[in-house]
């Protein structure tokens, strides 16, 4: 009797989900491990800077370059990633990025000189970020339309988890030991990719049969004529969308710049330019040092919780965009992010101006506002531009668009990281947050005027 019950429970566990959902989730989780590594690299600098400074690896003037060397690698990696994905396939490109990321993190962990640290950071930035646009392309090409927004949004959750994990491990462990975590994640990615099928979109662009791959990602528990017809319809749609692939960069640029794709492209260019300047990355890279300057008690704890709050916000947004769409969530999130950042600026002015407000009370208010901003930014400010990038364009334009936009984003992140301390020296801590508030306001106005609701579909089809 017991055996029959256990067998029945095992059967329910194995077959409670359609194979297509399990397989799509497997690929999403694998791609998100790459996103965790990318986030880990971003978060790694904040808790480890003090350890490295104590060991006199570099002078205080070069501290920003420990963060920026990563971004330099990310800029070039994001350019090469889509090109490599179109040459060797999405799966192989992800595996290559994960494999060489192991070497980059090993160089950092074994560094004995300043230049080794910077080279290791640049290598990890290059190969971790090489996989980011490829993973987004991969996920967007195998996902069903109704799940695509949530799946793409999960990449931002994974990046936030990576940042929070780096804050935690960099605080708890010696910095060399903290380098082991992304090495393990990269090894796991290579293992899991062996169970995944190549993207049917890539196969079609190479004039290879794609039906078996699409069937693998769309198989249901019970075969039905309706499902077969749906797969055939989707395959024909993909064939049509990829019919102009392989036409060369010149033709792709003409299609992007002079056709109906220009407007959504320009909208995303502005979004990817603005959102890194809202303060999210300046806080992320220099969280612990920044919070120490604000006298916010245990800066390490505040930094870890702020990263967790960003993850929670992004997790919530997966439900919100599924229920309410993209535009409404972006509008509300950006508006409240602007108000919160403005309030942070005001309280920093009050805290630094000795206006008679209790020191402990003002610190707790600032901590609460920073947590609230990171949560709100996680809901839509940081992640939804990536979701729109994955949804708005046909497969023949995705590699070109994603390569350009992600590269642009990392250029702006580089600028944000390099200008954080000069802005503080010029206008003080309060001026920094008021500047962030102004950028948030511009971002909110732009979303209100130009960003439409597309319900997870290609922009030109709405």
């Amino acid at each position: 009797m017991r055996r029959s019950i256990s067998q029945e429970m095992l059967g329910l566990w194995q077959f409670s989900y359609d194979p297509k959902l399990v397989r799509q989730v497997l690929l999403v989780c694998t791609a998100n491990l790459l996103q965790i590594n990318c986030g880990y690299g971003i978060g790694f600098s904040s808790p480890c800077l003090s350890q490295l400074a104590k060991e006199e690896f570099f002078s205080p003037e070069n501290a920003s370059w420990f963060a920026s060397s990563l971004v330099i690698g990310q800029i070039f990696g994001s350019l090469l990633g889509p090109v490599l994905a179109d040459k060797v396939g999405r799966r192989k490109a992800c595996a290559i990025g994960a494999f060489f990321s192991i070497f980059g993190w090993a160089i950092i962990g074994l560094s004995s000189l300043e230049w080794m640290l910077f080279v290791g950071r640049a290598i990890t930035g290059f190969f971790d970020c090489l996989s980011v646009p490829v993973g987004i392309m991969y996920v967007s090409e195998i996902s069903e339309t109704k799940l695509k927004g949530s799946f793409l949004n999960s990449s931002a959750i994974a990046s936030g988890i990576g940042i929070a994990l780096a804050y935690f491990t960099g605080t708890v462990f010696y910095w060399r030991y903290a380098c082991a975590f992304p090495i393990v994640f990269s090894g796991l990615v290579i293992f899991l990719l062996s169970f995944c099928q190549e993207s049917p979109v890539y196969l079609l662009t190479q004039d290879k049969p794609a039906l078996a791959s699409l069937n693998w990602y769309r198989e249901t528990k019970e075969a039905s004529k309706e499902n077969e017809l749906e797969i055939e319809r989707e395959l024909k749609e993909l064939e049509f969308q990829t019919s102009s692939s392989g036409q060369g960069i010149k033709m792709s640029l003409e299609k992007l710049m002079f056709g109906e794709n220009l407007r959504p492209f320009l909208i995303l260019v502005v979004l990817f330019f603005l959102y890194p300047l809202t303060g999210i990355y300046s806080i992320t890279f220099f969280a612990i040092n920044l919070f120490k300057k604000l006298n916010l008690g245990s800066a390490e704890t505040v930094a870890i919780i702020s990263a967790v709050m960003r993850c929670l916000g992004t997790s919530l947004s997966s439900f919100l965009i599924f229920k309410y769409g993209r535009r409404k969530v972006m509008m509300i999130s950006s508006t409240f992010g602007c108000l919160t950042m403005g309030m942070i600026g005001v309280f920093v002015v009050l805290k630094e101006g000795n206006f008679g407000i209790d020191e402990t009370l003002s610190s707790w208010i600032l901590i609460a506002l920073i947590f609230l901003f990171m949560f709100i930014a996680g809901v839509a400010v940081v992640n939804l531009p990536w979701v729109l990038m994955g949804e708005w364009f046909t497969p023949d334009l995705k590699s070109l668009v994603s390569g350009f936009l992600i590269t642009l984003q990392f250029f702006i992140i580089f600028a944000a990281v390099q200008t954080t301390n000069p802005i503080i020296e010029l206008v003080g801590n309060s001026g920094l947050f008021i500047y962030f508030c102004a950028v948030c306001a511009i971002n909110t106005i732009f979303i209100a005027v130009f960003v439409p609701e597309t319900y997870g579909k290609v922009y030109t089809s709405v």
Side-chain angles (χ1 to χ4, degrees), residues 302-344:
V302 174
I304 293 170
I305 297 175
S306 69
V308 171
M309 293 301 291
R310 174 181 167 179
C311 294
L312 292 175
T314 310
S315 301
L316 176 63
S317 70
S318 293
F319 165 76
L320 293 176
I321 64 174
F322 187 80
K323 186 173 179 62
Y324 299 107
R326 283 82 175 139
R327 174 181 162 81
K328 188 180 293 185
V329 175
M330 289 182 75
M331 272 295 305
I332 295 173
S333 174
S334 187
T335 300
F336 279 98
C338 177
L339 293 173
T340 305
M341 188 58 78
M343 291 172 67
I344 292 174

Side-chain angles (χ1 to χ4, degrees), residues 197 203 209-217:
Q197 292 279 329
L203 295 174
L211 181 60
S213 172
L214 187 60
N215 268 326
W216 194 78
Y217 286 112

Side-chain angles (χ1 to χ4, degrees), residues 86-104:
D86 285 342
K87 293 291 184 183
V88 304
R90 286 45 165 158
R91 186 169 66 163
K92 285 183 181 178
C94 287
I96 290 170
F99 180 78
F100 286 101
S101 173
I102 292 173
F103 287 94

Side-chain angles (χ1 to χ4, degrees), residues 188-449:
L188 187 57
V189 166
I190 296 170
F191 173 73
L192 292 176
L193 282 172
S194 64
F195 296 98
C196 299
Q197 292 279 329
E198 180 56 86
S199 162
V201 171
Y202 169 73
L203 295 174
L204 287 173
T205 62
Q206 303 300 305
D207 295 322
K208 295 179 180 179
L211 181 60
S213 172
L214 187 60
N215 268 326
W216 194 78
Y217 286 112
R218 297 294 183 267
E219 184 181 344
T220 55
K221 284 187 296 183
E222 299 177 2
S224 66
K225 188 67 175 177
E226 182 181 351
N227 190 55
E228 290 178 9
L229 292 173
E230 179 63 25
I231 293 173
E232 290 177 8
R233 183 201 61 77
E234 185 175 358
L235 183 62
K236 288 180 180 178
E237 186 177 315
L238 291 175
E239 288 173 344
F240 175 76
Q241 291 177 351
T242 57
S243 59
S244 56
S245 62
Q247 59 193 352
I249 187 68
K250 183 178 179 181
M251 292 291 289
S252 295
L253 279 171
E254 287 181 1
K255 183 177 179 180
L256 180 63
M257 301 306 294
F258 301 106
E260 55 190 354
N261 295 294
L262 180 59
R263 181 179 174 85
F265 176 67
L266 292 178
I267 290 172
L268 287 176
V269 166
V270 176
L271 290 177
F272 273 80
F273 180 89
L274 287 175
Y275 93 78
L277 300 175
T278 59
I280 186 73
Y281 286 105
S282 296
I283 293 173
T284 299
F285 273 101
F286 301 112
I288 292 175
N289 286 343
L290 185 61
F291 296 159
K292 283 180 178 177
K293 289 180 181 179
L294 295 175
N295 297 317
L296 297 184
S298 176
E300 292 83 0
T301 303
V302 174
I304 293 170
I305 297 175
S306 69
V308 171
M309 293 301 291
R310 174 181 167 179
C311 294
L312 292 175
T314 310
S315 301
L316 176 63
S317 70
S318 293
F319 165 76
L320 293 176
I321 64 174
F322 187 80
K323 186 173 179 62
Y324 299 107
R326 283 82 175 139
R327 174 181 162 81
K328 188 180 293 185
V329 175
M330 289 182 75
M331 272 295 305
I332 295 173
S333 174
S334 187
T335 300
F336 279 98
C338 177
L339 293 173
T340 305
M341 188 58 78
M343 291 172 67
I344 292 174
V346 169
F347 271 95
V348 173
V349 170
L350 295 176
K351 185 178 175 66
E352 294 178 341
N354 297 319
F355 285 93
I357 299 177
D358 182 73
E359 181 76 16
T360 303
L361 176 62
S362 62
S363 294
W364 275 110
I365 292 173
L366 274 177
I367 289 171
L369 288 173
I370 289 171
F371 288 169
L372 180 60
F373 174 77
M374 296 298 283
F375 179 84
I376 291 169
V379 170
V381 175
V382 174
N383 51 317
L384 287 196
W386 289 70
V387 173
L388 298 179
M389 179 183 70
E391 294 177 342
W392 275 5
F393 299 93
T394 53
D396 56 317
L397 292 176
K398 279 184 179 178
S399 61
L400 176 63
V401 170
S402 61
F404 178 86
L405 291 176
I406 295 174
T407 303
L408 170 66
Q409 175 211 237
F410 285 117
F411 266 115
I412 305 305
I413 291 175
F414 177 82
V417 169
Q418 285 295 312
T419 56
T420 299
N421 287 325
I423 291 175
I424 291 175
E425 292 173 4
L426 183 65
V427 295
N429 293 322
S430 57
L432 177 71
F433 287 104
I434 292 171
Y435 158 71
F436 291 153
C437 177
V439 176
C440 288
I442 295 170
N443 190 52
T444 302
I445 294 169
F446 182 82
I447 291 169
V449 176

Side-chain angles (χ1 to χ4, degrees), residues 144-155:
E144 296 174 278
T145 300
K146 65 180 180 180
L147 298 173
K148 188 177 293 184
S150 296
F151 281 164
L152 290 171
N153 192 52
S154 69
S155 66

